[in-house]
Amino acid sequence: MHRWSKLFVPTLREAPADAEVASHKFLLRAGYIRQLGAGIYNYLFLGQRSLNKIIAIVREEMDTIGQEFYLPAILPREPWEQSGRWTGMGDNMFRLKDRKGADLCLGMTHEEIMTTIARSELRSYKQLPQIWYQIQTKFRDEPRPKSGLLRVRQFTMKDSYSFDIDKAGLDKSFELHDGIYRRIFSRCGLKFVAVEADSGAMGGSQSQEFMVYTDAGEDLIASCPVCGYAANLEKATSRLEAVAEMEPTGDGKPELVHTPGKGAIADVAEFFKISAAQDIKCVAYMALKRGAAGKPDTWHGVAAFLRGDHQVNETKLLGVVGGAELRTMQAAELEQYLKGPAGFLGPVGLVHDTKPLEDGLTVVVDKSLEGRKNLVAGANKLDYHFRNVTPGRDFTWTVSADIRSVNEGEGCPRIEATGSGCVGKLVVGKAVEIGHIFKLGYKYSESMGARVLDPNGKEVTPIMGSYGIGIERILTAAIEQSNDQHGFWLTGAIAPFAVVVTVTNIGDAVLRETGEKLAAELEAAGLDVLLDDRDERAGVKFKDADLIGIPYRINVGKKAAGGQVELVTRATASSVDVALNEVVAQVKARTQEDARHSF
RNA sequence: CGGGGAGUGGCUCAGCCUGGUAGAGCACCUGGUUCGGGACCAGGGGGUCGGAGGUUCGAAUCCUCUCUCCCCGACCA
C-alpha cells in the first residue's frame, strides 16, 4: 500500500505554457513526467509506475510467442555499415566517438544487431523459426520533437524480429504478432485500428500499423465505415468517379492557347470553363538517389503529373521512383528539366528517361490520367497552355502509378468476392501509431550474410520480420482517448494504481483508521491501492484524484460512521454509496469486468 | 532546415514600447481560524530578469551576438 502523504506526486494546478496536446498537459499536471530538454523527459513515480505496468503486459504477451533479449543501446558502426544504414539513417541517428576515435551510435532500431546474432549463431533450418524481442530505450535525433511523449528523442520500444526459413514461415510469424498485438492493446484499454501501411525505406512487403484515432496524431488514416477497410494515407487507394470529358476543339490535336497570368489551377479551370479534374497538374521534384556502396548520393529531376484536383502523395512517389528524399525544384532546375516556368508546366513534348532516376528527367503519371482525353495542360512556356491533350497519344511517361493521396468522400477501393465494389465512402481521420508489424524480407539477412542450411543441405537466407510497439505511446494514446477538463482515466491494468482511497478528513481518527483498514483489505484482494492520507482539504484530494488517471476512487467520509462509503467511477464521474464491508468485492469485480471488456 | 513565438521566484504571467530601488496570483514556511470539490486572515522566505558583449551616470527595458524551449511546415525504421 502506498500512502500519498509519503509520495512525490507533484500535481500542477495549471499546465506549463508550452504544453499543447491533452496528454502532454495532463502528464505534466498529474506529475507523471517532467521535461529535461527538447524531446527528453524525466519519468517520475506515477509515470514510471504506469509504464512498468504496460511493459509487464507487453512482456507477458510477448513471452507466449518469443524470447526476450536485451541488446545494447550503444552500438558500433560496423553492422550499420554492412546494411548500408550508417549513411542511410542520416541525421536522425545520434552518433558519437569513443576515446580511440571509433564511431559509435545510439540505437534507433535493432535489425542489424539481431541479424548479427542470427548470422553468427543460426546454422540450420532446424533452429528456425525464431522470434527474438527486447524492451529497450531507443534514440532518434528527431528534427522536431513535440507533443509531450508523442514524438521524442529518447523512448522505450518493444521491438521483435522473426527469422524464418521461408515466406510461409514469415506469414506465420507475422500473424502471431498481429494476434498478440491486438491482445496487448486491448488489455491496455485502447480503442485501436489496424491499417495497411507503407513499408517505406525499410523495404519489405506487407506492413501493418496499429493506430489510435486522436487529433494529436500525426498520421492520417483513410477508412471505410461499410466494410472496415483502413489504410494509412501513405498507402490508401480509392475508387474514383468517372469524369466527364471535354469535346475536342479544332482538329482535336493539342492546341496552343494564350493564357496570360493563369498559372494557378483554379485560374486555368476558370479560363477554360472546365473543372480542375480536366486539368493536368505538374509538380516538379528533385529526388535523391542513394549511391551504391562507396558512391555518393545523387539528385535527379522528377516531374509528377496528376489531375488538377488531386494532391501528390510524396511517400507513394518516392516508392515509385525508388528515391530516398524529395524536394521541390528551384526555378533554374525547372528551366533545365522542363524548359518552362512554374504554373505553365506540362507533359507535352518532354523528353524522359525510360527508367527512374537516370541522367535525364523521370516523368511519373498518376494512374487516374490513363484513358482520359482532351485535357488541359501547361505548355512549358510562359502564359501558354495546351488543350486537347490526351495521355498516351500526346505524351508518354517513364512510369505510370498511383502517386496521389485519397480524399475523404471518395469510394472505398475494396472489391467484394462477388466482384462488385464496396459502396462505402472513405473517411479520413488523424491517428497516432502505437505499433507496427511488417515483413522485412531478405534485406538484412542478405546484406549482412545470415545463412542456414535447408533440409537438402543447401544454403539459404532466412527471411525476416520486424515488429515494434511504442511503450510511451500506449500511455499517451490512452490519455488522449480518455480525458476531460479535470484530468484523465486509465484502465486499471495500466493505471499507476487501480483504486485510490480518499480519507476526506485525516484529522478524524475514525475516518483515518477506516481508510487504513479498507486500503489494507483492497491490497489483500490483489488490487494496487493508493491511500490518500494527506492532511489536505477534501476538495484538494478530489481534484488530485480526478487528475491522475486512477479509474476508481473510494471516499471515506461522513457516511463511514454509518458503514457506508462512496465508490466513484472516474470515467463516468458517477458515484454510488456502498456498504463498507462490500466495497472491496465491488471494486474487485468492476476491475475484472473492465479487463474482460477489453477483449 | 524555412516561417512564427517565448525565455522575469517552483507554476501562470505583468513590467520592456517611453532606461531610474523587480511585481501580482498560485505554490512554499510559521501562527490562527477552517475542514465534501483546488479555504481565509496575519506574518515570512525565495528571482545574478537565459547567457555574453556593448551604449549609458544608470539596463529586465536600448543595440549586437549567442543558447534554449514552443508552434506551423519540411522530416519521421
Side-chain angles (χ1 to χ4, degrees):
Chain A
M1 182 204 313
H2 287 262
R3 291 177 176 79
W4 201 322
S5 63
K6 302 287 189 290
L7 299 180
F8 180 64
V9 181
T11 57
L12 265 26
R13 187 182 293 225
E14 293 171 282
D18 48 12
E20 200 75 9
V21 302
S23 61
H24 188 195
K25 283 182 191 161
F26 286 132
L27 284 165
L28 287 167
R29 285 192 54 202
Y32 275 49
I33 62 171
R34 285 295 184 265
Q35 180 166 13
L36 185 60
I40 306 174
Y41 287 86
N42 297 311
Y43 302 160
L44 308 186
F45 176 66
L46 291 186
Q48 179 64 7
R49 198 173 165 87
S50 177
L51 291 170
N52 278 339
K53 293 198 172 191
I54 294 168
I55 287 170
I57 290 172
V58 170
R59 177 172 285 129
E60 184 185 326
E61 294 294 341
M62 281 304 301
D63 278 342
T64 66
I65 65 167
Q67 306 150 69
E68 182 171 4
F69 287 17
Y70 188 70
L71 274 38
I74 185 165
L75 307 170
R77 171 174 177 158
E78 289 71 37
W80 297 88
E81 200 68 70
Q82 288 162 5
S83 72
R85 289 208 292 185
W86 179 257
T87 51
M89 284 297 192
D91 290 335
N92 264 24
M93 181 183 265
F94 278 108
R95 297 155 201 270
L96 60 157
K97 287 185 189 296
D98 67 14
R99 61 171 68 200
K100 290 180 286 192
D103 287 313
L104 299 165
C105 67
L106 300 181
M108 46 199 297
T109 178
H110 284 76
E111 280 81 6
E112 281 82 354
I113 314 308
M114 283 291 186
T115 307
T116 61
I117 297 171
R119 173 176 67 187
S120 54
E121 309 291 338
L122 296 178
R123 290 287 167 265
S124 161
Y125 74 96
K126 293 176 188 168
Q127 293 171 293
L128 300 182
Q130 290 291 331
I131 293 176
W132 299 339
Y133 82 95
Q134 65 168 342
I135 297 167
Q136 240 291 11
T137 303
K138 306 284 183 184
F139 300 88
R140 294 184 192 176
D141 194 0
E142 292 288 344
R144 190 181 157 207
K146 63 172 187 173
S147 306
L149 293 187
L150 222 44
R151 179 157 296 280
V152 289
R153 296 196 289 176
Q154 172 177 335
F155 57 98
T156 314
M157 176 179 265
K158 186 293 298 176
D159 50 320
S160 46
Y161 306 87
S162 63
F163 298 87
D164 281 280
I165 192 70
D166 56 20
K167 285 196 168 68
L170 174 58
D171 289 346
K172 173 79 171 155
S173 294
F174 186 88
E175 293 305 320
L176 283 173
H177 277 88
D178 180 52
I180 224 69
Y181 274 33
R182 290 171 192 270
R183 285 184 59 88
I184 288 169
F185 300 136
S186 295
R187 287 183 64 183
C188 291
L190 294 174
K191 292 192 275 286
F192 64 94
V193 290
V195 306
E196 292 176 25
D198 179 62
S199 37
M202 294 286 292
S205 49
Q206 196 177 355
S207 172
Q208 180 175 292
E209 290 168 340
F210 293 86
M211 315 289 288
V212 172
Y213 280 108
T214 159
D215 280 341
E218 302 179 285
D219 286 280
L220 289 170
I221 304 302
S223 61
C224 172
V226 175
C227 71
Y229 167 83
N232 194 304
L233 208 66
E234 296 175 347
K235 174 86 174 182
T237 58
S238 64
R239 190 167 55 240
L240 293 169
E241 304 286 334
V243 181
E245 303 294 357
M246 278 185 298
E247 289 305 312
T249 58
D251 60 2
K253 296 279 174 53
E255 175 187 350
L256 199 60
V257 180
H258 188 48
T259 53
K262 307 298 181 190
I265 299 283
D267 295 338
V268 174
E270 155 109 49
F271 182 91
F272 285 95
K273 303 281 184 284
I274 59 172
S275 74
Q278 289 162 324
D279 188 25
I280 296 178
K281 172 198 272 188
C282 174
V283 188
Y285 291 98
M286 295 301 292
L288 184 70
K289 180 158 93 175
R290 292 277 178 222
K295 300 281 176 55
D297 298 344
T298 47
W299 288 95
H300 305 266
V302 175
F305 294 99
L306 63 169
R307 248 168 65 171
D309 58 334
H310 288 167
Q311 307 295 317
V312 176
N313 184 312
E314 298 187 356
T315 303
K316 288 182 179 177
L317 180 59
L318 267 183
V320 166
V321 301
E325 261 180 56
L326 284 180
R327 64 169 174 80
T328 50
M329 277 194 193
Q330 310 288 309
E333 288 158 343
L334 289 175
E335 189 53 40
Q336 175 192 344
Y337 285 98
L338 292 136
K339 313 270 187 290
F344 300 91
L345 300 172
V348 178
L350 288 180
V351 176
H352 59 79
D353 291 337
T354 53
K355 282 194 285 192
L357 306 193
E358 301 206 317
D359 292 337
L361 179 68
T362 302
V363 170
V364 185
V365 168
D366 186 68
K367 278 280 182 209
S368 64
L369 288 182
E370 283 194 74
R372 301 286 309 280
K373 290 185 301 210
N374 304 320
L375 305 172
V376 168
N380 295 325
K381 180 176 177 187
L382 184 64
D383 291 342
Y384 283 93
H385 280 77
F386 282 119
R387 64 175 148 204
N388 302 334
V389 174
T390 296
R393 182 191 71 183
D394 301 322
F395 67 92
T396 57
W397 44 81
T398 308
V399 55
S400 168
D402 173 22
I403 57 166
R404 60 176 288 266
S405 292
V406 305
N407 295 308
E408 183 152 303
E410 291 172 356
C412 173
R414 197 168 270 179
I415 305 295
E416 305 294 336
T418 59
S420 61
C422 172
V423 298
K425 303 283 186 203
L426 295 180
V427 293
V428 175
K430 281 175 137 180
V432 57
E433 178 185 351
I434 51 173
H436 194 168
I437 59 178
F438 73 103
K439 300 179 180 175
L440 273 180
Y442 300 99
K443 177 169 174 163
Y444 299 94
S445 45
E446 177 68 46
S447 65
M448 301 186 66
R451 305 279 185 273
V452 296
L453 294 183
D454 74 3
N456 305 314
K458 188 170 147 246
E459 198 169 62
V460 296
T461 303
I463 189 165
M464 292 175 61
S466 164
Y467 319 86
I469 290 178
I471 302 296
E472 289 89 341
R473 280 191 173 186
I474 291 181
L475 175 59
T476 312
I479 296 173
E480 288 293 334
Q481 79 174 23
S482 304
N483 69 81
D484 59 20
Q485 56 177 319
H486 303 295
F488 61 98
W489 53 96
L490 301 170
T491 190
I494 67 168
F497 294 96
V499 56
V500 53
V501 175
T502 302
V503 178
T504 58
N505 183 357
I506 205 69
D508 183 323
V510 175
L511 294 188
R512 188 175 64 236
E513 280 161 28
T514 305
E516 283 277 349
K517 187 156 169 287
L518 178 56
E521 287 169 12
L522 286 161
E523 187 163 70
L527 292 161
D528 248 329
V529 53
L530 173 61
L531 176 65
D532 192 349
D533 61 343
R534 291 175 298 168
D535 184 13
E536 288 285 353
R537 298 165 65 84
V540 171
K541 299 191 201 186
F542 294 160
K543 290 286 186 192
D544 273 344
D546 286 346
L547 176 61
I548 64 170
I550 300 178
Y552 294 105
R553 177 172 100 229
I554 300 171
N555 291 337
V556 178
K558 290 172 188 162
K559 301 168 201 154
Q564 298 269 302
V565 292
E566 286 165 359
L567 175 54
V568 182
T569 304
R570 177 62 183 88
T572 58
S574 58
S575 162
V576 290
D577 289 346
V578 179
L580 194 48
N581 57 10
E582 289 170 12
V583 72
V584 174
Q586 273 232 22
V587 173
K588 178 95 177 162
R590 289 203 194 195
T591 301
Q592 287 173 342
E593 189 65 12
D594 292 342
R596 255 197 302 281
H597 273 299
S598 299
F599 289 94

